[in-house]
Amino acid sequence: YQRRVHGGFNQVIGRCICGMKACLRCGQEDHSPASCKQLDEWESRIAGESDNLSWLSVNTMPCPTCKVPILRDGGCNHMTCPRHTSDKDFCWVCGGVWDFHGKHGSRYFDPPCVDDPDVKKRSVMNASKGSELYKFQKYVTSYTEHEKARKHESTVDMDTAIKYKEQLEILNPGYCANYVTEAIQTAVEARTYLRYAYVYGYYLDDSKSDFFNFKVEGVESAVRALNNMLHDIYQHSPTSTSKPPFTRDNIVDAIGCLRNRLSDISKGLEDLK
């Protein structure tokens, strides 16, 4: 086995003879750089309904009479619940019943309650909730997209690479085209790391987000470049007399670049602990 430290959490990674790496603490696949605790909290949050409730609390206001959540998509602060008549209209700012003859009157766009300390405090809290929820949704999207890409690369792309490799070696006896499948394996490794990097990154302090994003974007650009090169060479028939768009050396260099980026981000995130 191999021991690695990421973000201050001690992880023990075991490697099978087939190449599969697993976390010996939680039994899941190698989820570096995320800790077991981070991954467990992350998966629990994705599986739960807490974020639906958070979205409702940030973006809707309950009708003060029937408590049905109302969504405001523009206009003034005078709200009408479809379940009630106009005497049950309410104020979007303070959430109270609209007082036509008192404090609200006809001040539909700037009701006096905007200066209420409790209202201001709630607005700050909602803004904080909204910002955190936006960050979570953004990181979940990246986490999911890398998993989709990994599945496609490990199945469809790998099958294509194996066929292309076999064609090259049949047409060129003695020629080794292992670099084609090695490129896919490296891309899958990168997708796996990036997937869990977003779990790790979500729990980082905001002060470290810029560094994290810079490192992640470096790996993402390298894996995209490698995939684009592979896509281009697949369009070139091995039997063609014309030059392929990229040579073996080009692909090997791209593989090396991606591996260097992976090594760099691994060290960089360790230094953030």
Side-chain angles (χ1 to χ4, degrees):
Y1 66 88
Q2 171 182 13
R3 183 180 295 273
R4 292 189 290 190
V5 178
H6 286 282
F9 296 96
N10 199 10
Q11 293 184 18
V12 182
I13 307 301
R15 182 192 291 270
C16 176
I17 56 173
C18 70
M20 174 68 181
K21 293 185 291 184
C23 174
L24 300 184
R25 292 193 183 281
C26 65
Q28 298 203 52
E29 70 173 342
D30 180 9
H31 49 76
S32 305
S35 69
C36 299
K37 182 175 183 293
Q38 288 172 339
L39 184 60
D40 183 60
E41 291 178 359
W42 176 269
E43 292 180 339
S44 296
R45 183 168 180 182
I46 289 178
E49 292 293 322
S50 61
D51 288 304
N52 291 335
L53 296 175
S54 295
W55 188 92
L56 285 173
S57 69
V58 170
N59 295 284
T60 68
M61 177 77 71
C63 169
T65 302
C66 66
K67 306 305 179 185
V68 168
I70 305 294
L71 176 66
R72 174 177 176 262
D73 59 1
C76 68
N77 293 300
H78 169 242
M79 307 299 295
T80 301
C81 177
R83 290 190 173 192
H84 306 288
T85 56
S86 60
D87 65 325
K88 300 299 183 182
D89 293 359
F90 66 97
C91 175
W92 177 262
V93 176
C94 68
V97 174
W98 191 273
D99 184 358
F100 285 97
H101 305 289
K103 66 175 182 178
H104 294 105
S106 59
R107 296 178 61 179
Y108 299 121
F109 287 92
D110 62 338
C113 47
V114 294
D115 297 321
D116 187 308
D118 290 336
V119 170
K120 289 183 176 180
K121 182 178 179 181
R122 188 185 65 208
S123 296
V124 171
M125 291 176 62
N126 279 348
S128 177
K129 285 182 183 178
S131 177
E132 192 279 333
L133 186 58
Y134 171 79
K135 178 182 177 181
F136 179 69
Q137 292 172 335
K138 178 182 177 182
Y139 277 51
V140 165
T141 298
S142 297
Y143 170 87
T144 303
E145 288 303 315
H146 281 301
E147 175 59 10
K148 288 179 181 178
R150 181 178 73 157
K151 287 181 178 179
H152 189 275
E153 289 163 358
S154 62
T155 54
V156 177
D157 287 355
M158 180 58 81
D159 288 344
T160 302
I162 290 172
K163 291 175 183 177
Y164 192 82
K165 171 181 176 295
E166 290 173 348
Q167 283 184 301
L168 286 174
E169 293 178 342
I170 290 173
L171 292 170
N172 304 278
Y175 181 79
C176 179
N178 286 344
Y179 66 92
V180 182
T181 50
E182 184 182 345
I184 297 298
Q185 291 169 347
T186 307
V188 170
E189 179 184 346
R191 296 291 188 185
T192 302
Y193 189 90
L194 286 167
R195 181 188 185 214
Y196 293 114
Y198 275 101
V199 178
Y200 175 86
Y202 173 73
Y203 292 101
L204 280 176
D205 292 337
D206 289 342
S207 61
K208 299 176 181 178
S209 292
D210 287 344
F211 179 84
F212 170 81
N213 291 330
F214 174 74
K215 292 296 184 182
V216 165
E217 287 167 7
V219 179
E220 289 176 334
S221 65
V223 75
R224 280 196 302 269
L226 179 58
N227 279 328
N228 289 338
M229 292 173 73
L230 292 173
H231 179 268
D232 287 347
I233 66 168
Y234 294 156
Q235 306 306 309
H236 182 269
S237 172
T239 59
S240 174
T241 56
S242 63
K243 284 186 176 182
F246 298 101
T247 65
R248 174 169 61 180
D249 287 345
N250 294 147
I251 302 298
V252 171
D253 286 345
I255 294 172
C257 175
L258 179 54
R259 285 179 173 165
N260 287 339
R261 296 281 177 88
L262 282 171
S263 176
D264 181 62
I265 191 176
S266 178
K267 183 178 184 306
L269 295 189
E270 284 185 20
D271 291 341
L272 285 181
K273 65 186 179 182

